[in-house]
Amino acid sequence: MARTTTWRRAAVASMALGALTLSACGGGDGGDGEASGEGGTITAYNCEPQNPLVPANTTEVCGSWVLEHVFTGLVQADTETYEPIPGVAESWDTEDNVTWTFELGEGWTFHNGEEVTAQTFVDTFNWAVDPENAQQSANFFDNFLGYQEVVDGDADEMEGVRAVDDHTLEIELTEPFSPLPDMLTYSAFFPMPQEAFEDIEAFSSAPIGNGRYQMDGEWEHDVQIAVERYDDYAGEEPGLPQRLEWHIYSDIDTAYMDVQSGSLDILDSVPPNRLTTLEGDFGENWTSFDTGSFSYLGFPLYQEEFQDVDVRRALSMAIDREEIIDSIFNGAQTEATSIIPEFLPEGRDGVCESCEFNPDEAADLYEEAGGPSELTVYFNSGAGHEDWTEAVANQWRQNLGIEDVTFESMEFAQYLDLHDTEEVTGPFRLGWTISYPNAQYALEPIYTTDQSSNYTGFSDEEFDNLISEANAAVEPDEASELYQQAEDILLEEMPVIPMWFSTYHVAYSDNIVGDSIQMGEGNTLTHLWKIETSES
């Protein structure tokens, strides 16, 4: 019989205690889940969220940052290990990675007092996948049993989401999927109260969650989003600051100067043009973190000239990533020598041999493979990709003797349409961000056969089988090894050229206790609730 996978809340209590004793002001948990005398206000930079503040419709950082504080899902990700830990669910079991049982803790309520039960998640998940609600993250449920029937209009609810009783939720999948607990940390799976379904438009401006913080008024578009600590939070780690304010900026340089003056506390993404003066401007009040935000150059493998793997390897080896990072980004990127981010347990440094800069070998390989003498490079416009793609093109001209490189750029929506219709004829720029901390999400959605985000057209039966085996593996170590084997195939076949993982530089004011700054899932600064202030 397969081993049962179980997480218990007892393990989390010790982790939470350790995290809260790192900084100078002391802990924020009085032992009963209630805040113990912490306070102060933290103000942080944010951009205007692209979409209304609805969990299943928020797919970008600006809105997700807010939702992470207003809601708590079934499962959370530990901010240091990235392992799934209890949220509303205090434990979960599976014997086959197909049928999962989640035991919910008691005492969880929304900010309006409504109880959070297993039926809450049934109602929320079914609402999220209903085509009439047009939620952008609906496809995250596509491996839930009954998802396709709801999408096709043949059923009103998913067969695979069931409330056994008030505190027992059962999720049945269409096939084994070991990363389910990791996936459930994503905001698309946050619960919503009945009030949301009655008036989703009103809810989207002032969402009612079950998290550490509750909205203080409505989202003031282009101005700010403010929240206050929810003192009846049922989780193990309540928020430390009493109040959080996200100040919305259209100009990030203005935010940088506001942190300098002390009128803003945190800027989580210092612009590259400010990096050379960062230490002089802030002294010790800054830090940096590698992230799981992955940039790559893909190949349209449906084009004959890129079907020879040696052409792809040569183009990769002819790029001096370090030079581009230093000259274009002022060091604000980390060379990618893998596809799986290093912060994940499966992450490995230096496993991409064809990512090493070797212009002589690249030139020989390119000539022997009969690489094309002319290239068209594609990228989405308006996002700062012009300079570095030009730098890559210059290196290809110099190191491979390519005679002519031209560029095609367009708005992102039009750019993706071009990929959908397979009209791209040369190397193209794209990126991928880890929505939940699991190697599966770094691999499966963009490299398995016929996936909607697989814009290269890459298809490899052994790779697909390894992903399926890893998803079905009960033992985490077995899954990790299989994901790494799948990554090895990608690095051998090179459907994409790994370029870099983004590095975030964080600047903060004297209001912040420096060693309390922590990063969240995928190493992005999401957890303001763990940061302490000098006002405490």
Side-chain angles (χ1 to χ4, degrees):
M1 178 180 292
R3 182 180 66 86
T4 298
T5 303
T6 307
W7 257 97
R8 296 291 175 192
R9 187 174 290 277
V12 180
S14 61
M15 284 189 256
L17 181 60
L20 291 175
T21 56
L22 288 175
S23 51
C25 289
D29 190 344
D32 57 0
E34 295 183 0
S36 58
E38 297 296 341
T41 296
I42 288 179
T43 60
Y45 161 86
N46 206 356
C47 48
E48 175 78 355
Q50 180 183 9
N51 296 303
L53 295 175
V54 178
N57 207 39
T58 298
T59 59
E60 32 73 39
V61 173
C62 308
S64 296
W65 203 1
V66 177
L67 296 183
E68 288 280 349
H69 293 77
V70 176
F71 293 87
T72 296
L74 282 167
V75 184
Q76 303 178 88
D78 182 80
T79 57
E80 295 181 7
T81 67
Y82 304 105
E83 294 181 348
I85 60 175
V88 176
E90 60 184 10
S91 68
W92 48 90
D93 301 318
T94 184
E95 293 187 353
D96 56 7
N97 287 333
V98 174
T99 301
W100 297 74
T101 302
F102 294 83
E103 297 296 336
L104 278 55
E106 298 190 16
W108 285 90
T109 62
F110 287 104
H111 302 147
N112 63 0
E114 179 185 326
E115 184 182 4
V116 179
T117 67
Q119 189 61 42
T120 300
F121 288 94
V122 173
D123 294 341
T124 299
F125 292 173
N126 281 307
W127 184 90
V129 303
D130 186 338
E132 292 187 4
N133 298 321
Q135 298 297 286
Q136 291 197 72
S137 294
N139 61 346
F140 275 88
F141 296 83
D142 64 0
N143 59 352
F144 283 39
L145 183 66
Y147 165 84
Q148 196 59 50
E149 286 77 3
V150 173
V151 171
D152 292 341
D154 296 329
D156 294 328
E157 296 186 346
M158 291 183 288
E159 179 185 346
V161 184
R162 301 180 284 268
V164 178
D165 55 45
D166 281 350
H167 295 95
T168 305
L169 177 71
E170 194 170 80
I171 296 177
E172 185 177 354
L173 308 176
T174 56
E175 59 186 3
F177 188 69
S178 61
L180 180 65
D182 294 294
M183 187 173 75
L184 291 175
T185 66
Y186 186 47
S187 59
F189 299 95
F190 290 162
M192 297 197 303
Q194 289 300 312
E195 193 169 324
F197 311 132
E198 295 166 3
D199 189 348
I200 193 63
E201 185 174 351
F203 177 86
S204 67
S205 294
I208 300 165
N210 65 322
R212 296 168 175 86
Y213 288 85
Q214 57 187 332
M215 293 287 293
D216 182 19
E218 293 189 352
W219 163 16
E220 299 177 59
H221 290 274
D222 299 311
V223 178
Q224 76 165 11
I225 300 172
V227 296
E228 291 278 341
R229 188 173 59 212
Y230 181 53
D231 290 332
D232 291 328
Y233 180 66
E236 291 289 338
E237 291 187 81
L240 298 186
Q242 176 63 35
R243 181 178 174 86
L244 305 174
E245 295 176 1
W246 287 275
H247 292 190
I248 298 171
Y249 288 80
S250 59
D251 181 5
I252 198 168
D253 282 300
T254 302
Y256 183 91
M257 290 184 287
D258 282 353
V259 181
Q260 276 187 284
S261 69
S263 59
L264 184 71
D265 291 324
I266 295 176
L267 172 62
D268 73 311
S269 51
V270 173
N273 64 301
R274 295 285 188 171
L275 294 179
T276 56
T277 63
L278 182 59
E279 186 171 358
D281 291 339
F282 289 95
E284 295 183 352
N285 283 9
W286 69 276
T287 188
S288 63
F289 300 87
D290 294 335
T291 78
S293 182
F294 177 59
S295 291
Y296 65 88
L297 286 169
F299 294 105
L301 300 182
Y302 46 84
Q303 297 287 338
E304 183 177 355
E305 57 266 46
F306 301 107
Q307 291 175 2
D308 189 327
V309 67
D310 285 339
V311 170
R312 307 195 292 269
R313 291 172 182 163
L315 286 165
S316 178
M317 289 189 291
I319 300 173
D320 187 343
R321 294 161 178 77
E322 183 177 359
E323 178 183 317
I324 294 174
I325 289 171
D326 289 342
S327 61
I328 305 296
F329 296 101
N330 290 318
Q333 309 285 358
T334 299
E335 287 186 66
T337 59
S338 63
I339 289 176
I340 299 175
E342 284 188 52
F343 70 84
L344 293 176
E346 297 82 6
R348 300 171 292 170
D349 181 29
V351 291
C352 177
E353 294 182 4
S354 295
C355 294
E356 297 177 11
F357 179 50
N358 192 332
D360 293 336
E361 183 177 344
D364 292 341
L365 199 62
Y366 199 74
E367 182 177 3
E368 292 171 5
S373 60
E374 298 180 355
L375 290 176
T376 300
V377 178
Y378 293 77
F379 62 90
N380 54 297
S381 59
H385 303 306
E386 290 82 359
D387 289 344
W388 73 260
T389 52
E390 177 66 33
V392 169
N394 288 336
Q395 291 182 355
W396 283 342
R397 292 186 186 101
Q398 178 180 342
N399 297 325
L400 299 179
I402 294 175
E403 297 173 1
D404 185 39
V405 181
T406 57
F407 299 91
E408 288 281 349
S409 64
M410 60 209 73
E411 293 295 324
F412 196 64
Q414 183 184 2
Y415 185 62
L416 292 183
D417 287 341
L418 202 68
H419 285 287
D420 289 336
T421 55
E422 294 191 347
E423 295 180 64
V424 174
T425 63
F428 57 87
R429 175 271 156 196
L430 273 176
W432 191 251
T433 299
I434 302 297
S435 293
Y436 51 86
N438 192 282
Q440 173 270 336
Y441 197 71
L443 301 175
E444 183 172 6
I446 51 177
Y447 304 109
T448 50
T449 302
D450 293 333
Q451 284 283 339
S452 60
S453 296
N454 181 354
Y455 293 115
T456 65
F458 178 72
S459 180
D460 184 280
E461 184 176 358
E462 183 181 1
F463 175 85
D464 293 349
N465 289 339
L466 284 168
I467 293 295
S468 295
E469 291 173 24
N471 289 348
V474 173
E475 296 291 342
D477 288 346
E478 179 187 359
S480 292
E481 183 177 347
L482 290 165
Y483 286 131
Q484 288 176 337
Q485 291 177 24
E487 182 188 31
D488 290 340
I489 291 176
L490 293 178
L491 297 175
E492 179 70 20
E493 295 296 325
M494 297 294 289
V496 304
I497 298 175
M499 293 298 294
W500 43 70
F501 292 100
S502 295
T503 300
Y504 286 160
H505 291 74
V506 182
Y508 51 90
S509 73
D510 290 335
N511 186 40
I512 302 302
V513 176
D515 62 0
S516 72
I517 291 279
Q518 295 189 32
M519 305 303 272
E521 295 178 30
N523 280 18
T524 55
L525 183 62
T526 58
H527 298 293
L528 293 179
W529 55 269
K530 300 190 80 164
I531 297 176
E532 296 186 83
T533 79
S534 57
E535 300 175 27
S536 300

